Amino acid sequence: MFDDMHPKNIKEVILGEHELSINEVIAVARYGAKVSFTENYYLRINKSRNLIEKFLEEERAVYGVTTGFGSNVTEVISKEDAHTLQRNIVRSHAVTVGEPLEKEVVRAIQLMVLNNIGQGYSGVRIEVLELIAAILNHDILPFVPGDGSVAYLSPEAHMALVLMGEGKAWYKDELLSGHEALERAGLKPVTFECKEGLALLSGTTSATAFAVLSIYNAIQAVKTADVTGAMSLEALKGTIKALDPRLHSVKKHLEQAKTARIVSKILDGSEIAKQYKDYRLQDALSLRCIPQVHGAVKKVLKNALENIHNEMMSSSDNPIIWPEEEDGLALMGGNFDASYVGIDADTICIGMANLAKITERRIDRLVNYHVSELPSFLVVNPGLNSGYMIPQYTAAGLLNEIRVLSHPATIDNTSTCANQEDVVSFAYFAARKAYQISKKLEHILAIELMVATQALEFHDTLKPSPVTASVYELIRNQVPAVEEDRYFYHDIETIRNQIHDGEIVELVEEKIGVMEL
């Protein structure tokens, strides 16, 4: 599911021979890796396309090929109108509204479309898929409003408009018509043939793209939380006795025991931890229960990861074009349903909310002189200076937003399409809010890392562990110690970027090995 190579070091993703990995998606979406196809990819696509053309020529009853869409399935479409039908579905379905989706989200969705159709069960011509890859490789960014999708269709339709030379797209930071964006990049639009418009819209591609970005961010976040939690425990004179492997051996959750081992490794060699091992009989739960809470979140993410990866490698089209000897069948069903992704995305939200909850409580303990035994708000001259008083407010505000977003989307239902689609997954927003939460969580972790680093300034006679010392140095290379109040926004964003780009996890794993979930 993951590559050993960091996504920023993956320069090309080749579709067709192997299962697409999470890291490869991030490489294309976030770091601009190029996309290409293998010979097998071409063979699968061409075989599937030949069957669609055979069905059309024989005027077989195939949903979306010789019939209308949704509750219009009873309307027969002649083969002479096949082009018009596919053009019309793209135009009529491009109706999401509001602010455009982020660049990495749009790129991730485009890659999911290529991977989904590339399974060879959709009947799309290779020319269409080559154009999507060229749009990615030329860094053309379709304008995709992000609000108002019940599961799929509309965001994908805005992207498909650009393939037709319609809609809007950015090219070299300029928002242009789809036709002009293609022309400036030396590309030409396509005219959709039978089933192609439907195949580009139908499926779980947008929900899956959001889910992949979310699970990647969340896994990186929970690993980072082990680091920030260890630093907070160290700075707050917490007892490492709560990490005793005998204690965790009697709780039958592997993720809990692994977390205790990871935090122990991070704190190994700490003079501070050694000095205060018996300072308290036991600590507050936000320190004492790091293995239990972080471990539970890891278990949720592991379960979700399996389903999200399975969805990535699936064909979620309707109908499925199934080859049989020299002929084939069009199998009509509901593979476009995104319940797997949606329910897991809702669960990821709950997991991340619990991680944010315990992190915010550690932040409060660090800045609260009533319990920290450190200077008020971690500044030498409190009163004249507010120090880190207000970043805890920011963490509290972000946590409130996360809690609201953690309400499950997939338990809702509003019928669509004249009650033909009477059960709707709402997986799109489930996955989208998971993505939103993952970014808010990164900022909360950045605040903990910022204040924990400052707290270590007050342990000048005792050395932190070699691992936490290296993290301290990484932070201090860009964020100086606080002696008087200053503009903290830049500090928080700088550390958040270190978390987002994987610098914190990468540094720690160099010291202690892979931080397994």
Side-chain angles (χ1 to χ4, degrees):
M1 298 180 193
F2 286 95
D3 288 309
D4 293 334
M5 190 180 297
H6 191 283
K8 63 187 174 186
N9 297 324
I10 299 173
K11 303 305 179 185
E12 184 179 16
V13 173
I14 306 173
L15 299 177
E17 294 294 341
H18 68 282
E19 291 189 347
L20 186 66
S21 72
I22 300 291
N23 282 12
E24 287 178 315
V25 178
I26 303 302
V28 172
R30 186 170 295 173
Y31 298 107
K34 304 297 184 183
V35 177
S36 61
F37 309 135
T38 67
E39 186 63 31
N40 278 340
Y41 188 97
Y42 281 91
L43 290 172
R44 290 199 298 264
I45 294 301
N46 291 335
K47 184 176 183 180
S48 180
R49 182 64 203 175
N50 290 338
L51 283 175
I52 276 290
E53 291 178 353
K54 177 180 173 66
F55 296 166
L56 181 65
E57 185 62 30
E58 295 174 358
E59 296 187 352
R60 297 189 195 181
V62 178
Y63 173 74
V65 176
T66 54
T67 76
F69 306 109
S71 65
N72 286 332
V73 66
T74 56
E75 302 294 329
V76 177
I77 307 297
S78 69
K79 60 183 178 182
E80 289 77 21
D81 287 330
H83 298 288
T84 303
L85 179 69
Q86 300 306 311
R87 181 197 66 200
N88 286 350
I89 189 176
V90 172
R91 287 177 174 173
S92 66
H93 284 52
V95 291
T96 40
V97 296
E99 293 298 311
L101 295 176
E102 297 93 328
K103 181 176 181 176
E104 70 174 11
V105 174
V106 175
R107 289 179 62 85
I109 296 172
Q110 289 173 302
L111 184 61
M112 289 300 101
V113 170
L114 291 177
N115 198 53
N116 176 43
I117 294 176
Q119 304 302 315
Y121 301 106
S122 295
V124 176
R125 288 172 301 148
I126 194 64
E127 293 92 326
V128 176
L129 305 177
E130 287 176 327
L131 182 55
I132 297 173
I135 285 174
L136 283 167
N137 293 341
H138 284 81
D139 202 22
I140 298 171
L141 181 67
F143 176 87
V144 184
D147 297 341
S149 175
V150 297
Y152 58 107
L153 294 174
S154 292
E156 288 87 346
H158 281 281
M159 297 179 200
L161 282 175
V162 177
L163 301 175
M164 295 165 53
E166 300 181 15
K168 295 188 290 184
W170 280 277
Y171 182 63
K172 295 185 176 179
D173 298 323
E174 189 176 353
L175 186 59
L176 308 166
S177 71
H179 188 276
E180 188 171 0
L182 292 176
E183 188 175 62
R184 289 198 189 181
L187 304 174
K188 294 181 179 179
V190 294
T191 299
F192 292 137
E193 296 188 1
C194 68
K195 196 178 181 293
E196 291 181 333
L198 174 62
L200 290 169
L201 274 54
S202 181
T204 65
T205 48
S206 53
T208 303
F210 269 122
V212 171
L213 293 168
S214 302
I215 195 72
Y216 180 84
N217 288 351
I219 289 172
Q220 194 155 251
V222 76
K223 290 183 176 183
T224 304
D226 286 352
V227 179
T228 63
M231 290 181 72
S232 293
L233 188 147
E234 186 177 39
L236 289 166
K237 306 175 185 176
T239 175
I240 56 174
K241 286 184 175 180
L243 304 174
D244 191 314
R246 294 169 296 182
L247 173 68
H248 299 285
S249 70
V250 299
K251 193 79 177 282
K252 302 303 179 183
H253 297 294
L254 294 178
E255 299 78 17
Q256 175 182 322
K258 284 182 180 179
T259 302
R261 286 197 298 272
I262 288 168
V263 176
S264 293
K265 285 182 179 180
I266 293 170
L267 293 176
D268 187 39
S270 169
E271 292 181 1
I272 301 170
K274 183 178 179 181
Q275 175 70 24
Y276 294 105
K277 183 176 181 180
D278 297 310
Y279 188 64
R280 298 186 193 94
L281 187 63
Q282 60 182 22
D283 293 306
L285 297 184
S286 58
L287 300 178
R288 195 193 331 161
C289 290
I290 288 173
Q292 288 82 359
V293 176
H294 291 200
V297 174
K298 290 172 184 179
K299 179 62 172 177
V300 165
L301 298 182
K302 284 169 67 175
N303 291 344
L305 177 62
E306 180 182 357
N307 284 337
I308 292 168
H309 185 258
N310 285 343
E311 192 69 39
M312 277 174 53
M313 301 317 304
S314 300
S315 179
S316 56
D317 201 356
N318 180 47
I320 293 297
I321 309 306
W322 187 263
E324 283 194 347
E325 297 179 354
E326 299 303 315
D327 199 356
L329 299 170
L331 303 173
M332 275 71 82
N335 277 4
F336 52 80
D337 180 85
S339 293
Y340 278 101
V341 170
I343 293 170
D344 274 312
D346 275 336
T347 309
I348 292 170
C349 291
I350 294 170
M352 288 191 289
N354 277 273
L355 191 62
K357 177 177 71 175
I358 192 171
T359 302
E360 185 279 328
R361 286 293 81 203
R362 292 195 297 261
I363 293 168
D364 181 73
R365 297 195 76 80
L366 285 162
V367 301
N368 184 349
Y369 72 95
H370 293 290
V371 294
S372 70
E373 301 181 19
L374 295 166
S376 182
F377 304 113
L378 300 175
V379 69
V380 174
N381 191 5
L384 179 63
N385 295 287
S386 294
Y388 284 134
M389 177 192 296
I390 305 304
Q392 186 267 329
Y393 289 34
T394 305
L398 289 167
L399 179 58
N400 174 257
E401 294 170 16
I402 288 172
R403 284 170 172 157
V404 172
L405 288 170
S406 294
H407 177 81
T410 54
I411 62 173
D412 196 6
N413 190 59
T414 302
S415 296
T416 57
C417 202
N419 216 39
Q420 172 75 357
E421 298 169 3
D422 55 349
V423 177
V424 176
S425 72
F426 287 107
Y428 174 85
F429 187 59
R432 188 181 180 191
K433 64 189 180 69
Y435 179 64
Q436 293 169 348
I437 288 174
S438 74
K439 294 191 291 183
K440 295 176 190 295
L441 176 58
E442 287 176 341
H443 280 101
I444 294 177
L445 289 167
I447 293 170
E448 182 178 20
L449 197 49
M450 180 177 70
V451 297
T453 300
Q454 178 73 8
L456 288 176
E457 300 285 349
F458 302 101
H459 288 276
D460 53 352
T461 60
L462 295 171
K463 292 181 180 180
S465 81
V467 176
T468 55
S470 65
V471 175
Y472 170 93
E473 290 298 330
L474 181 66
I475 301 301
R476 284 290 176 255
N477 283 338
Q478 297 190 49
V479 177
V482 176
E483 297 178 0
E484 60 179 4
D485 286 348
R486 65 168 183 258
Y487 180 48
F488 291 129
Y489 169 81
H490 176 73
D491 296 352
I492 297 170
E493 289 298 324
T494 297
I495 299 171
R496 180 266 172 185
N497 290 338
Q498 291 176 322
I499 294 169
H500 187 70
D501 289 335
E503 290 183 52
I504 305 298
V505 170
E506 202 168 10
L507 175 64
V508 173
E509 289 190 332
E510 286 175 3
K511 307 286 185 183
I512 69 169
V514 175
M515 300 166 68
E516 293 183 3
L517 292 186

